[in-house]
């Protein structure tokens, strides 16, 4: 049985494209990240084949088949797509074997999975940190829920069940309902308070308190959350998180990434609120020592009284480019001074030689012009002396 398909025939790919579920790596031969992904991709293919998954794993040279790559919206390499029928799902998670396999198995299955019993519900509740559940019979809400699940299955899991599947601790005021289970509790969707179902699911698909890195921060920025409290090694309480649902809580190890984000030095531990929609950030005016001070800080951000820093304006972007360039140069010199001197000294040396050559070329051109006019430097000096001598003789004759 073939573990990994390398598409060398465009017609072969199009023939099998609609018949099976495909997990395809669009790569470029010259791409270093693609080469780094190659052994992981081999493991993904082997694991999915071993487990009996219906997902077939393949790879395609996007530079050789640029038309197909363009058709699927490939704009960079490597790009991982799961192709299921007419739909193409883009993988945006970490490029690890387990994460890619989990994505493939989730998206390859039905958008909404049915939970026939309470035992099954308790099983998936233990297995997933966040899950969405539709409770009730056929309704317009269920149609909308299925539509949202088809779109956002790349991010999370969607289930459906009847009311008797739920434990007695879960009380729903009306049916049908859409419920999210996370952080040891649950929240029910309210169309009037929460807006569209799609935006609500997109906001609620994260745990209330989670580790944050650059990728997670980017994903949070796409959810429409108004602000992200970024807590660097700060211990938050669950009651606080539940009472401040306007914020997404998280913690970040170290301060390198946040330093780059705010273009400054952040001490550890610190509390920073980042508005992911416009890259503005807020910091407490005084050290936070208790829960009451923290709540006051949150309230000042929500009512607009807290001063905002940063942003995504034109001058801020220029400043960010300059800061990133300086940081890159400094990091190179710190890690390898000799390499830094070579990388930055060599171009400066070449530029200096070019400037010197240009200046000397201009000087040579002037000399050549003087030679064409019949003069050299020595002849010009002799001519000046003769002129002075004739002027002196003329003056003597007049006397």
């Amino acid at each position: 049985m073939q573990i990994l398909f390398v598409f060398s025939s465009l017609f072969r790919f199009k023939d099998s494209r609609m018949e099976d579920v495909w997990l395809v790596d669009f790569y470029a031969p010259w791409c270093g990240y693609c080469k780094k992904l190659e052994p992981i991709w081999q493991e993904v293919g082997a694991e999915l084949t071993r487990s009996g998954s219906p997902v077939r794993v393949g790879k395609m040279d996007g530079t050789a088949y640029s038309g197909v790559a363009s058709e699927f919206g490939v704009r960079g390499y490597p790009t991982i797509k799961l192709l299921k029928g007419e739909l193409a799902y883009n993988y945006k998670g970490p490029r690890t074997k387990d994460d890619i396999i989990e994505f493939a198995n989730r998206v390859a299955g039905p958008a909404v999975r049915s939970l026939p019993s309470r035992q099954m519900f308790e099983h998936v509740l233990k297995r997933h940190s966040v899950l969405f559940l539709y409770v009730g019979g056929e309704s317009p809400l269920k149609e909308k829920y299925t539509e949202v699940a088809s779109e956002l299955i790349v991010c999370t899991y969607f289930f459906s069940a009847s009311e008797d599947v739920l434990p007695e601790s879960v009380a729903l005021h009306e049916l049908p309902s859409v419920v999210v289970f996370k952080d040891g509790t649950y929240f029910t969707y309210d169309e009037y308070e929460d807006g569209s179902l799609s935006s609500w699911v997109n906001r609620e698909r994260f745990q209330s308190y989670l580790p944050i890195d650059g990728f997670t921060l980017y994903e949070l920025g796409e959810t429409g959350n108004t602000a992200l409290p970024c807590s660097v090694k700060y211990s938050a309480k669950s009651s606080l998180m539940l009472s401040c649902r306007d914020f997404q809580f998280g913690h970040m190890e170290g301060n390198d990434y946040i330093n780059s984000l705010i273009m400054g030095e952040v001490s550890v531990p610190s509390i920073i609120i980042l508005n992911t929609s416009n890259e503005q950030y807020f910091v407490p005016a005084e050290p936070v020592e208790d829960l009451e001070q923290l709540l006051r800080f949150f309230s000042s951000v929500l009512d607009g009284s807290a001063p905002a820093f940063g942003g995504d304006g034109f001058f801020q972007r220029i400043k960010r480019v300059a800061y990133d360039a300086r940081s890159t140069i400094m990091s190179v010199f710190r890690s390898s001074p000799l390499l830094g001197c070579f990388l930055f000294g060599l171009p400066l040396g070449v530029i200096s030689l070019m400037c010197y050559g240009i200046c000397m070329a201009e000087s040579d051109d002037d000399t050549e012009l003087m030679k064409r006019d019949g003069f050299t430097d020595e002849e010009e000096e002799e001519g000046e002396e003769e002129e002075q001598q004739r002027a002196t003789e003329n003056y003597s004759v007049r006397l």
Side-chain angles (χ1 to χ4, degrees), residues 67-91:
V68 178
S70 178
E71 178 184 348
F72 289 112
V74 176
R75 295 182 176 84
Y77 302 104
T79 293
I80 299 172
K81 297 270 186 178
L82 187 135
L83 311 177
K84 184 170 68 171
E86 295 288 346
L87 301 175
Y89 296 94
N90 193 24
Y91 177 69

Side-chain angles (χ1 to χ4, degrees), residues 209 231-237 240 250-251 269-271 288-291 294:
Y209 188 73
S231 173
V232 186
K233 284 192 178 294
Y234 182 84
S235 178
K237 297 182 179 180
L240 172 64
H251 68 275
S270 292
I271 301 172
V288 176
E289 298 179 353
D290 53 41
L291 185 58
L294 188 59

Side-chain angles (χ1 to χ4, degrees), residues 173-207:
H173 299 295
E174 61 179 5
L175 293 177
S177 291
V178 177
V179 188
V180 59
F181 292 87
K182 63 178 184 178
D183 306 315
T185 185
Y186 65 93
F187 305 97
T188 304
Y189 167 68
D190 187 319
E191 182 179 359
Y192 299 101
E193 293 184 1
D194 300 319
S196 71
L197 180 61
S198 177
S199 61
W200 179 78
V201 170
N202 206 23
R203 290 194 304 270
E204 295 291 345
R205 62 186 176 92
F206 294 97
Q207 294 176 272

